[in-house]
Structure formats: C-alpha cells, structure tokens
Amino acid sequence: MDKQTITIYDVAREAAVSMATVSRVVNGNQNVKPATRKKVLEVIDRLDYRPNAVARGLASKKTTTVGVIIPDISNAFFSALARGIDDVATMYKYNIILANSDGDTQKEVNVLNNLLAKQVDGVIFMGHHITDEIRGEFSRSKTPVVLAGSIDDDMQVGSVNIDYTQAASDVIDLLASHKNEKIAFISGPLIDPINGMNRMDGYKKGLEKNGLEYNEGLVFESTYRFEEGLKLAERVKNSGATAAFVSDDELAVGLLDGLLDMGVTIPEEFEIVTSNNSAITNMVRPRLTSVTQPLYDLGAVAMRLLTKMMNKEEIVEKEIILPFGIEEKGSTK
C-alpha cells in the first residue's frame, strides 16, 4: 500500500474498528479500551499512517497550526522570542510555521497571505514597522493576530512589549549620571514606531530631565546590522558624543568594534548602552551594558495570549507590558 495514500479509512479497515475509534486514538481521547487502542496503534505504526492536519482542520475548523512571521531569524532578538513562542505552542499542542519576511513590507503581506491560505488558527507577527497594508490584512482576516516585540498605533490586535519609552529615559539617566553631556541615539529606522516614537520620546525626555539639550546631530539612523554599526563609528565619534544609546544589539557590537578599531577606549572615553540584552552582548569584550528585556517571555506570553484568542477565552488585557531593567556591564563606567 502506498503510504502517501493511506487514510484513516485504511487504518480502520485493517484494525477492524470504526473510523471514529481511530480518530479517538489519534486525538488521545481516553474513551477507548486499552486493547483496542493497542491494536489501532500497531496498525498505525505498520502502515506508517500520518494524520492529515488539513483534513482534520476541515472537520474541526481548526488546523492547530500557528503562523509566526519574523523579519530576521538570524537576529538574536527575534530568535530568542521564537524559542518562547515554540515552547508554549508545544505545551498547548500547536504546530508552528515559521516564515522569514526579511523586514520587507511587500514580502510581509505575501507571507501573511500564504499563512492565511494554509488555514492557520492564529498569527504571531514580529515586524519593525506595521504598514497600513499589513494592518488592512489583519482587519480583513478573521484570524487572531498578536504582535510580539512590535508596536501598532491602532492597537487593533493583541501585543506584548516592554515600556520602550521609559527604558530609553532610564538609559539617559544612567549615562547622564556619569557626566556625559553629549549622548548619541543610534537607532534602527525611525519609521519603526518603537524607534521613531517610543525610544525617541524617552531619549528626549531623559535629556530634558537631566538638563541636556536635544541635538539632531546626535541622532543616527541605521539598519539593524553589525556592518552599519561599524560604518557609523567614525561619524559618532566625530559628533562629539561621549556615550550612545543603541536600539539593537548587533548594531551596538558594530559600533563597539568600530570605536575600538579607532583606538577609543571603552568605557573610559566612550560608553555604550544597548537595548535587548541578547546573548551577543556577553560574547564581546567589554561586555555590553543593556536594557534587559525578557526576550523568551515576550515570545511565550505572546503565544499564550494567542491561544486565549484562538480558543475565545476571556482576555483581561490585550496589550501586555512586561517588566525591564538595565544590566550594567563593561561598556559603562
């Protein structure tokens, strides 16, 4: 028998039981006699039968599959979130389809539509910037959506984040307390509201609180790449800044290496605070002082929120803010 064509009907016939009994065994229903369960499992094993998730989905209107859209799987921030998502998905018996959007707005729309076409029960979206187009797709779809580590001004969908504004302000407090008067903000694209609104707002509030002037010449916009940080180092040093708040760890490592290549001593001549405290911050020397985001929890809580939405459980809070801190390491005095 061709295993590609083996169906629940074949298993039922071979085991001499009803298809309903096979279904109960496959779905872990306890209402089956042990001897019958053993017989059915032996046939499933012999025929190498694999339950068809799509067919089960048609019957139950559920595929027990969740789509996860990530802008850059190689970035330690997103991969840490993905681990939290996957662990909670496994706990609740959901399968994950992971899709990489490359942070490309058109690809995000295509990837989302491909996932929806696969009849996923829910979507976790991690994107730097929620475009009107992707927001429109969220609205049109009846599929529950949760943002993890991403902000949507409209707040139409569920989201899990930290208070990025307060975190930025706290970083400026720390750097100002070390007598830094010119503090640079090295940001990912400012079109991303986490950067252009939340962190920028916190940066300005922190400067004002510490009696420091906001200077556009100390704001550097970049991509979230190590190479970009490396390239920026000379411009940042020439700006007169003696410290920097950086919105991404890979970018911060690039800045660190670029400054060290120029002979700048860290932290004596220049201090750096980064934003995500991913594993990479401890792999460099000096280790990078960072805002501590509960990266694994951001993913895990987002997945748990999505399970509640998919199962129509009561949801007290759709916009969840998790706690953060600042861990001082070797890149600050």
Side-chain angles (χ1 to χ4, degrees):
M1 196 180 291
D2 180 0
K3 77 174 183 179
Q4 294 297 323
T5 59
I6 288 168
T7 66
I8 193 169
Y9 171 79
D10 298 318
V11 176
R13 189 188 63 234
E14 291 281 317
V17 297
S18 69
M19 284 191 284
T21 299
V22 177
S23 178
R24 281 196 287 272
V25 170
V26 166
N27 290 305
N29 190 316
Q30 297 305 306
N31 193 21
V32 182
K33 289 177 185 170
T36 305
R37 180 187 305 282
K38 185 169 182 288
K39 182 168 65 171
V40 170
L41 288 172
E42 281 170 356
V43 171
I44 285 173
D45 194 41
R46 178 159 52 82
L47 298 182
D48 196 17
Y49 167 65
R50 300 186 189 282
N52 186 327
V54 174
R56 281 159 67 189
L58 291 173
S60 67
K61 298 290 188 288
K62 284 187 175 185
T63 58
T64 61
T65 302
V66 168
V68 179
I69 301 175
I70 291 186
D72 182 3
I73 191 62
S74 69
N75 189 302
F77 174 79
F78 294 110
S79 51
L81 265 66
R83 281 200 61 188
I85 292 167
D86 190 50
D87 282 357
V88 174
T90 302
M91 194 187 305
Y92 285 89
K93 295 186 167 53
Y94 281 92
N95 299 308
I96 293 286
I97 301 177
L98 197 61
N100 196 55
S101 70
D102 295 323
D104 179 291
T105 50
Q106 191 48 56
K107 192 174 177 186
E108 282 173 350
V109 172
N110 296 340
V111 163
L112 176 63
N113 284 325
N114 284 340
L115 288 173
L116 295 174
K118 289 183 169 76
Q119 307 291 309
V120 292
D121 295 334
V123 172
I124 292 181
F125 183 87
M126 294 180 246
H128 297 303
H129 173 51
I130 313 297
T131 61
D132 288 340
E133 198 175 355
I134 204 89
R135 197 180 283 117
E137 297 297 330
F138 290 160
S139 298
R140 267 190 293 282
S141 165
K142 300 289 178 245
T143 307
V145 176
V146 171
L147 306 179
S150 303
I151 298 265
D152 177 27
D153 306 334
D154 275 18
M155 301 301 182
Q156 288 181 13
V157 295
S159 63
V160 184
N161 290 284
I162 66 163
D163 186 338
Y164 302 105
T165 304
Q166 189 60 53
S169 180
D170 288 358
V171 168
I172 304 309
D173 281 349
L174 173 67
L175 292 172
S177 75
H178 296 172
K179 304 292 185 284
N180 291 292
E181 293 181 2
K182 286 193 169 183
I183 302 168
F185 173 34
I186 300 172
S187 172
L190 292 169
I191 194 170
D192 171 3
I194 287 180
N195 294 322
M197 291 171 60
N198 299 61
R199 284 182 176 131
M200 179 63 88
D201 191 30
Y203 172 65
K204 287 179 176 176
K205 280 179 176 165
L207 292 174
E208 188 180 350
K209 181 179 165 192
N210 289 283
L212 301 174
E213 262 185 56
Y214 170 72
N215 176 351
E216 263 186 17
L218 292 174
V219 176
F220 299 85
E221 189 174 9
S222 172
T223 64
Y224 302 95
R225 293 281 177 198
F226 167 81
E227 295 78 12
E228 292 302 310
L230 210 54
K231 284 183 203 165
L232 274 175
E234 193 168 354
R235 282 176 56 204
V236 172
K237 186 71 179 75
N238 291 343
S239 72
T242 58
F245 168 47
V246 189
S247 72
D248 177 78
D249 294 349
E250 202 173 303
L251 192 55
V253 172
L255 175 69
L256 172 70
D257 282 9
L259 290 170
L260 290 172
D261 288 347
M262 291 164 59
V264 177
T265 55
I266 312 289
E268 292 79 10
E269 293 179 89
F270 198 98
E271 296 186 76
I272 300 173
V273 180
T274 187
S275 294
N276 302 328
N277 205 35
S278 60
I280 195 173
T281 62
N282 294 318
M283 294 177 187
V284 291
R285 290 296 179 271
R287 295 186 308 140
L288 288 169
T289 293
S290 181
V291 172
T292 57
Q293 295 196 47
L295 300 183
Y296 178 91
D297 291 353
L298 280 170
V301 172
M303 184 63 212
R304 180 63 187 111
L305 176 60
L306 188 63
T307 63
K308 288 182 176 181
M309 291 165 76
M310 292 186 295
N311 295 317
K312 298 184 169 49
E313 294 175 40
E314 186 189 350
I315 294 168
V316 179
E317 189 59 68
K318 206 164 80 166
E319 294 154 35
I320 298 171
I321 301 294
L322 297 182
F324 71 89
I326 296 177
E327 187 178 341
E328 295 184 52
K329 305 180 205 170
S331 65
T332 48
K333 293 170 189 165

